[in-house]
Amino acid sequence: MSRESSPNHSNSDNGGGTRSGDGVRPGPAKRSRLLDEIAGPEDLKELSDADLTQLAQEVREHIIDTVGEIGGHFGANLGTCELAVALHSVLESPKDKILWDVGHQAYPHKILTGRSDRLGTIRQYGGLAPFCSIEESPHDIMGAGHASTSIGYAVGIKEGMRHLARVGESARDGEDAPAPADGRVVAVIGDGAMTGGVAFEAIGQAGGLGTPMVVVLNDNGMSIAPNVGALSRYFNRVRLNPKLWHARSGVEGGLAKLPGPIGAKFERLGPQLKESIKAFWAPGLWWEELDWAYMGVIDGHDVHALREALREALAAGRPVVVHIATVKGKGFAPAEDGGLEGMEKWHAAKPNSILGGAPAPSAPVAAGAQVKKAPPQYTQVFGNALVRECERDERVVGITAAMNSGTGLNILQEALPARYFDVGIAEQQAILFAAGLALQGVKPVAAIYSTFLQRAFDQIVHDVCLQRLNVVFAMDRAGLVGDDGPTHHGAFDIAYLRCLPNIVLMAPRDEAMLV
């Protein structure tokens, strides 16, 4: 018998313990960590909301302690602890499919699926992968490392289930044969990854097919606050109640059928009437226009609210987006309280950068000691050189796909902001944008990681090379990249570019030649 808490009847103890079907369980102050008792997602099923909240905090502390010592993706993982706990407490992974876009925020998921004791091996040779890996665990449904792919995977997985169910029904032909395995599908995608075009393509397809799936939009931006109050809760109920959802369509059609001139006037209003009714009925108008139900904004650090929203969304039997607000770096003050700058700085932690849950102090420099200056990195050399080129030639501009500091374009952004363009996680648009600039006589420099440029191969061929346009591709992170693994190896660019017409490939031997 599960131990569920409610707003009015919480199972959290006040020193007297929490009661389960097996007896009395000691309160948090008297027992070992809950995390030590979790061998897999099934162990979350009997926990109360209060216990799950405690578990999420223990997962967060485990990440701070471990990643602070060994290094790895940090801030995004601290923001998804409650979400991972809520998902695994409601769903039955791996029968139900949880798809983590990119996977750099899936450390809590790894911890809850039997890999807690191996977290210290992440990004190490022979250790856990830094992203999700289908070879590593049956709970990692898709391999990832590049952004914006989870919704597309989810549509394919759920439609595959539906297709095999139809095939199975036809093959059984009335016989008493077992139905094929089915499951619920949830894709978790961040507001950053939602800037990628393939995510929008998948949203359009799922809406058209009516694919019964859930997208959790994990929004850790600074400008969105949760909706509060009875009206917000009412809208969530209305959007996901099938009877009321169909009733809205009935109202739209019924008004036009009213007798006499009244109905005719409503019919002439046409689209304006429909949009007004829909806007009143559901604030998530963009999603609603694509035939998705919208829930939000939910507090992504409230386990009870998350679980309630997920249950309602999964029961809706249609495409649903659950929009949640989280804090990147939650529980680690320098990231949580440092604004956007703090979030960016602590996106990843370097080895031994955290001590006792706080940033490790810098080693003191002895008086009179000479500090050896580190040589500049290629990325920094490139950024400074591009600024000088922009100053020399007013036609030169720089383009990045959401990787300003990673490519060195943050230097251009600060020095000459009008010559700097960020298209979001949309490499295809970056190259099309560059082609359009080149057609107008501008000299665009598209600075993109080698591994991410793969995503824009068609645009390189069709829109740049075949048009003989003057576009410069500055590929960062060439070769093997070690810690980030095979999804990020820049090992293919020479091979896939060398076969193209009207292109010159150059690999500088040193910083001076790069300039």
Side-chain angles (χ1 to χ4, degrees):
M1 185 175 179
S2 68
R3 294 181 288 125
E4 301 294 346
S5 68
S6 67
N8 298 322
H9 297 88
S10 174
N11 283 327
S12 61
D13 76 302
N14 296 310
T18 303
R19 183 168 295 278
S20 72
D22 299 325
V24 177
R25 199 171 177 175
K30 302 176 183 178
R31 66 184 175 196
S32 61
R33 293 194 314 167
L34 275 171
L35 182 56
D36 297 332
E37 304 171 19
I38 304 299
E42 63 279 1
D43 294 328
L44 278 65
K45 305 304 181 190
E46 301 301 315
L47 298 180
S48 68
D49 285 349
D51 287 335
L52 292 170
T53 299
Q54 177 187 331
L55 177 61
Q57 182 58 29
E58 291 178 5
V59 168
R60 178 174 287 112
E61 292 168 359
H62 184 38
I63 292 172
I64 292 174
D65 292 342
T66 305
V67 177
E69 179 181 345
I70 65 169
H73 291 108
F74 189 64
N77 286 295
L78 297 184
T80 58
C81 296
E82 287 83 5
L83 175 60
V85 165
L87 285 167
H88 280 294
S89 69
V90 171
L91 297 169
E92 297 179 19
S93 179
K95 177 190 174 185
D96 296 329
K97 314 300 181 184
I98 305 173
L99 309 172
W100 297 87
D101 206 276
V102 188
H104 69 295
Q105 81 287 43
Y107 289 17
H109 160 79
K110 289 176 183 272
I111 291 170
L112 297 172
T113 52
R115 290 168 276 180
S116 178
D117 59 346
R118 297 184 61 208
L119 185 65
T121 70
I122 209 161
R123 298 168 64 89
Q124 311 293 319
Y125 179 74
L128 295 180
F131 307 101
C132 292
S133 170
I134 57 176
E135 291 85 8
E136 185 176 289
S137 170
H139 299 282
D140 288 3
I141 307 304
M142 66 179 207
H146 293 186
S148 315
T149 62
S150 62
I151 304 177
Y153 270 113
V155 180
I157 289 172
K158 189 58 189 178
E159 289 300 328
M161 291 176 179
R162 298 171 86 187
H163 173 70
L164 292 179
R166 290 190 293 266
V167 170
E169 290 173 3
S170 175
R172 290 194 302 273
D173 194 24
E175 296 179 11
D176 195 20
D182 196 3
R184 297 167 291 182
V185 180
V186 177
V188 180
I189 186 169
D191 55 322
M194 273 297 297
T195 63
V198 292
F200 291 94
E201 294 171 17
I203 289 166
Q205 184 188 15
L209 292 172
T211 307
M213 56 177 280
V214 173
V215 166
V216 176
L217 176 55
N218 177 26
D219 193 335
N220 56 28
M222 299 291 287
S223 60
I224 295 178
N227 289 335
V228 295
L231 186 60
S232 175
R233 293 194 297 272
Y234 164 76
F235 275 143
N236 286 339
R237 289 198 305 272
V238 166
R239 279 192 294 276
L240 293 174
N241 186 311
K243 293 180 180 178
L244 293 175
W245 170 45
H246 292 300
R248 189 189 72 192
S249 299
V251 169
E252 292 169 1
L255 286 173
K257 295 178 181 178
L258 289 173
I262 299 177
K265 288 183 179 179
F266 276 120
E267 189 172 14
R268 284 197 300 272
L269 285 173
Q272 293 92 337
L273 169 68
K274 183 178 179 181
E275 295 311 309
S276 297
I277 294 173
K278 187 177 289 187
F280 170 77
W281 211 276
L285 187 56
W286 183 86
W287 291 91
E288 295 282 343
E289 282 297 319
L290 296 175
D291 290 323
W292 285 69
Y294 172 89
M295 292 184 72
V297 177
I298 311 297
D299 182 353
H301 300 298
D302 183 332
V303 171
H304 177 76
L306 286 172
R307 297 180 78 202
E308 288 299 304
L310 288 169
R311 286 194 188 101
E312 293 180 25
L314 291 164
R318 60 175 297 205
V320 181
V321 59
V322 179
H323 186 177
I324 72 172
T326 61
V327 176
K328 191 173 183 178
K330 176 73 173 177
F332 185 69
E336 186 174 359
D337 302 333
L340 292 174
E341 184 178 344
M343 288 182 182
E344 182 176 2
K345 179 180 178 180
W346 290 102
H347 171 74
K350 294 182 173 62
N352 300 311
S353 60
I354 298 172
L355 183 64
S362 302
V365 179
Q370 290 187 340
V371 179
K372 186 177 181 181
K373 189 177 181 181
Q377 296 180 324
Y378 266 60
T379 299
Q380 182 182 359
V381 172
F382 164 75
N384 290 327
L386 183 57
V387 169
R388 291 195 293 273
E389 285 299 311
C390 287
E391 292 171 341
R392 186 184 63 82
D393 187 340
E394 62 184 14
R395 294 171 296 175
V396 177
V397 300
I399 303 170
T400 181
M403 298 296 291
N404 60 344
S405 57
T407 59
L409 283 193
N410 60 316
I411 300 173
L412 177 64
Q413 180 185 17
E414 184 175 344
L416 300 168
R419 312 282 283 278
Y420 163 86
F421 297 94
D422 185 348
V423 302
I425 303 178
E427 290 81 8
Q428 292 174 297
Q429 170 57 17
I431 305 311
L432 281 173
F433 177 56
L437 289 170
L439 283 170
Q440 287 300 112
V442 179
K443 293 184 175 181
V445 178
I448 299 174
Y449 282 18
S450 170
T451 181
F452 298 146
L453 191 64
Q454 297 163 187
R455 315 184 85 187
F457 182 73
D458 180 62
Q459 285 67 35
I460 298 171
V461 176
H462 181 273
D463 302 295
V464 176
C465 290
L466 294 184
Q467 314 300 326
R468 298 175 182 267
L469 295 179
N470 182 10
V471 175
V472 174
F473 302 104
M475 285 165 285
D476 208 313
R477 305 301 198 276
L480 303 182
V481 296
D483 296 349
D484 280 335
T487 61
H488 281 53
H489 289 334
F492 308 113
D493 48 39
I494 292 177
Y496 71 69
L497 292 175
R498 194 174 181 184
C499 60
L500 301 182
N502 309 318
I503 191 170
V504 177
L505 299 184
M506 295 182 286
R509 67 170 177 257
D510 55 28
E511 295 86 344
M513 183 174 281
L514 171 62
V515 172

